[in-house]
Amino acid sequence: MHLYLVRHPRPIVAANTCYGRTDLAVAAEEVALAHASLLPVLPRKAMLFSSPLRRCTELSVSLADTLDCAAPTYDERLAEMHFGDWEMRSWDDIPRASVNAWSNDMVGYQPGGGESVLQVAQRVRAFRDELTELNIEHAIVICHAGIIRLLAACEHGLSIPEMALYAAQKPHKIRYGELLVVDC
C-alpha cells in the first residue's frame, strides 16, 4: 500500500500558540494553495481519510471532489494530540516546570492534563492496523504533524511505546500542506 500523508494547511491562529486538538479554521487561500500543490502528486480514486478537525476536513473535501475519490472517512484517531489546559495558550505562558516535566517524560507525560504521546500512539496504531486490513493500493490521509510522525514510525516495525518514543524524539519539520509518501 502507498500511504500519502498530508499535513493540513496553516490554521488561523496566533504564532507560538499551543493549539493541538482545538478545532481551528483555515483561510480559503491556504486550502487552495495546498490543494494546488497536492493535486499533481496524489493518486486519483484513492481512499481518503481525514482527521475530523476543520483544518483537515476542508482540504479533504476539496481533494475528494477533484481526485474523484469517495467522500472522506473522518476518523477521531487521526485528530492531533490533546494538550488539555495548554490548548490555545502561548507556549511562553505555559509554566516552565510543566514543559520540563514533559521533556523529562516525552512518552508518558500528559501535557496540560490532556493526552500522552503513548495514548496518541495507541490510537494511531489501531487506525494503521485497520487500514492495513483493507488491503488497498493507495490511501490518502489528511492529518497533523504529530500523527504523521506516528504513522511513519509504524513502518519501522516498532512496538507502540517505541513508536511513541521515536515520534516524540523526531524533530518537527513537517510544513503545512506537506506530503510524505510511505510505502507499506
Side-chain angles (χ1 to χ4, degrees):
M1 171 175 56
H2 302 289
L3 192 55
Y4 298 81
L5 306 174
V6 178
R7 185 177 184 200
H8 60 79
R10 179 182 307 278
I12 300 171
V13 65
N16 201 37
T17 300
C18 175
Y19 56 87
R21 181 74 69 95
T22 303
D23 198 11
L24 300 169
V26 174
E29 303 82 43
E30 292 290 332
V31 174
L33 188 65
H35 179 106
S37 70
L38 293 165
L39 194 57
V41 293
L42 291 176
R44 294 183 124 8
K45 300 182 188 266
M47 288 193 71
L48 182 55
F49 300 87
S50 175
S51 159
L53 298 179
R54 209 169 8 166
R55 57 191 184 262
C56 296
T57 62
E58 292 177 20
L59 179 59
S60 67
V61 167
S62 171
L63 288 170
D65 290 343
T66 309
L67 294 171
D68 197 24
C69 298
T73 298
Y74 300 111
D75 196 313
E76 282 288 331
R77 296 172 294 184
L78 296 173
E80 184 60 284
M81 185 169 142
H82 192 282
F83 284 89
D85 63 17
W86 290 12
E87 296 269 336
M88 296 310 294
R89 292 177 66 184
S90 167
W91 284 102
D92 296 332
D93 292 340
I94 297 169
R96 174 64 39 221
S98 296
V99 174
N100 289 342
W102 189 25
S103 294
N104 292 332
D105 183 8
M106 291 295 292
V107 172
Y109 185 78
Q110 295 176 271
E115 288 181 288
S116 68
V117 176
L118 181 61
Q119 290 169 317
V120 179
Q122 290 168 332
R123 63 179 163 88
V124 169
R125 173 59 72 81
F127 169 80
R128 173 63 178 75
D129 290 348
E130 285 181 26
L131 187 60
T132 301
E133 292 174 11
L134 293 176
N135 199 25
I136 56 177
E137 187 176 353
H138 302 286
I140 301 168
V141 179
I142 313 295
C143 57
H144 312 271
I147 305 304
I148 290 172
R149 290 193 318 262
L150 286 164
L151 283 167
C154 285
E155 302 316 312
H156 295 288
L158 305 173
S159 68
I160 292 173
E162 291 169 331
M163 185 176 96
L165 184 60
Y166 175 89
Q169 291 177 335
K170 187 172 181 67
H172 175 347
K173 294 183 181 194
I174 304 168
R175 296 179 316 275
Y176 294 109
E178 185 174 344
L179 168 67
L180 173 67
V181 181
V182 177
D183 290 322
C184 308

